[in-house]
Amino acid sequence: MLDIKKISTLSDLSELKTAYFAESTAPLDGMWHFGFVPMSDHFGFYENGNLVGYCVLNGEGYLLQFYLAPTASTHIEDLFPLIVENNSSVIGNVKGAFVSTAEPQYLSLCVDNTESFKVNAMMYRQNSQARSDCDSDRIEEIEMSLATEEQLEQFVEFASSAIGAPKEWLTGYYGNLIARQELWGYWESDDILATGECRKFDEHQTQFADLGMIVAQQERGKGLATRVLNFLKQHANSQGLEAMCSTESSNIGAQKAITRAGLSSKHRILQFDFSELKETD
């Protein structure tokens, strides 16, 4: 018999998370899996008191990760529908799921249980055989400087104004990046025109660096995004890391900049909605 319990100590899932990432066919998005997942609820699957799997549900009711060890007696094809049909009083209401096309089993489970989905984001990875028009040598170099603790408030104000993110969240997020020396700024006089992030992974996918950037509204469409990304890519490469990043499927401008900087996209993050499944049951 399988029991489901909420997990408060995420270190209990260390071995299962390692197995989860090992099953992926490409690096998974850093912001989703190392930013949003730790803030979400984790539920463990137990057989005879042994932890054999888990799932992650965010505050909006969307699954972010789903894993069951192959040694488990329970069949994953039976467990997944049980959970998404809200048959677990512990997990509660499951509205849908976010899943990468680089997560074959989790993706197959979502596809088997609903036909309703849309592309949420594009996932990019450094192209080792980039086309000549993406050659870094043809991109004007840019000088960026590491953010300091004294500049935290200014970075928060910039990002809040540029993308509308909550200041409280940005303060914690940027504060951590500054402490890790992973946040960069492009300045003109005393004004920030762009920010760049080159995030390293502490565990799993440690051979990659996850890039992020924000360009001031008035500076967009001038090639600055491509120059920032190229700087970050070269910084990652100088540390022996391969660059990766993602962007929303609707952000055509960012997609063009990322491609020009020499990254290509083979995978997507899909958003599934299980409401149709429940309405037809």
Side-chain angles (χ1 to χ4, degrees), residues 61-63 80 83-85 94-97 106 109-111 113-114 116 272-279 281:
Y62 282 86
L63 289 170
F80 190 82
I83 290 175
V84 302
E85 291 173 11
V94 178
K95 182 178 179 181
Y106 179 26
L109 292 168
C110 291
V111 171
N113 285 276
T114 181
S116 175
F272 285 83
D273 187 344
F274 298 137
S275 60
E276 290 186 6
L277 171 69
K278 296 161 187 173
E279 290 171 359
D281 285 346

Side-chain angles (χ1 to χ4, degrees), residues 183-199:
L183 179 64
W184 302 74
Y186 177 65
W187 301 74
E188 185 176 89
S189 299
D190 295 326
D191 297 320
I192 302 174
L193 299 187
T195 63
E197 303 169 24
C198 188
R199 303 181 292 265

Side-chain angles (χ1 to χ4, degrees), residues 32 118-123 246-249 267-270:
W32 278 99
K118 61 183 178 181
V119 177
N120 174 270
M122 314 277 286
M123 298 174 64
S246 66
T247 189
E248 294 179 350
S249 58
H267 289 285
R268 310 286 183 268
I269 296 174
L270 305 181

Side-chain angles (χ1 to χ4, degrees), residues 19-247:
Y20 179 82
F21 279 91
E23 283 193 350
S24 64
T25 59
L28 303 180
D29 184 81
M31 182 61 75
W32 278 99
H33 291 279
F34 301 99
F36 300 146
V37 165
M39 298 188 298
S40 302
D41 291 330
H42 287 63
F43 300 91
F45 306 142
Y46 295 84
E47 289 180 345
N48 300 319
N50 298 316
L51 184 61
V52 296
Y54 73 96
C55 69
V56 180
L57 192 73
N58 70 9
E60 286 71 49
Y62 282 86
L63 289 170
L64 303 184
Q65 291 181 353
F66 195 97
Y67 180 76
L68 186 66
T71 55
S73 300
T74 305
H75 294 293
I76 196 169
E77 295 84 358
D78 298 328
L79 178 61
F80 190 82
L82 181 147
I83 290 175
V84 302
E85 291 173 11
N86 303 334
N87 290 315
S88 169
S89 59
V90 177
I91 296 177
N93 183 53
V94 178
K95 182 178 179 181
F98 288 98
V99 55
S100 164
T101 54
E103 300 169 279
Q105 185 172 52
Y106 179 26
L107 175 61
S108 295
L109 292 168
C110 291
V111 171
D112 287 345
N113 285 276
T114 181
E115 296 179 353
S116 175
F117 73 89
K118 61 183 178 181
V119 177
N120 174 270
M122 314 277 286
M123 298 174 64
Y124 288 82
R125 183 172 172 178
Q126 188 170 339
N127 188 354
S128 59
Q129 296 179 334
R131 302 188 309 272
S132 59
D133 60 344
C134 295
D135 193 337
S136 298
D137 294 338
R138 305 177 69 171
I139 300 174
E140 183 183 352
E141 291 191 359
I142 191 174
E143 284 297 325
M144 303 188 73
S145 55
L146 275 173
T148 65
E149 292 183 10
E150 293 74 22
Q151 296 170 335
L152 174 60
E153 185 176 349
Q154 195 167 357
F155 272 85
V156 168
E157 290 291 339
F158 169 79
S160 177
S161 174
I163 61 174
K167 291 183 180 180
E168 182 178 357
W169 179 82
L170 282 168
T171 299
Y173 178 68
Y174 275 170
N176 180 57
L177 289 181
I178 289 174
R180 294 169 58 93
Q181 295 191 317
E182 296 175 347
L183 179 64
W184 302 74
Y186 177 65
W187 301 74
E188 185 176 89
S189 299
D190 295 326
D191 297 320
I192 302 174
L193 299 187
T195 63
E197 303 169 24
C198 188
R199 303 181 292 265
K200 298 178 184 178
F201 296 102
D202 294 327
E203 57 178 347
H204 317 303
Q205 307 184 163
T206 53
Q207 70 271 41
F208 294 93
D210 200 24
L211 311 186
M213 59 94 185
I214 301 173
V215 174
Q217 184 71 40
Q218 71 274 14
E219 297 298 321
R220 295 173 189 175
K222 302 178 182 180
L224 180 56
T226 299
R227 294 164 63 198
V228 169
L229 287 168
N230 190 56
F231 171 88
L232 297 171
K233 182 186 72 174
Q234 292 183 344
H235 176 69
N237 293 167
S238 70
Q239 300 180 73
L241 303 174
E242 180 182 333
M244 57 177 280
C245 66
S246 66
T247 189

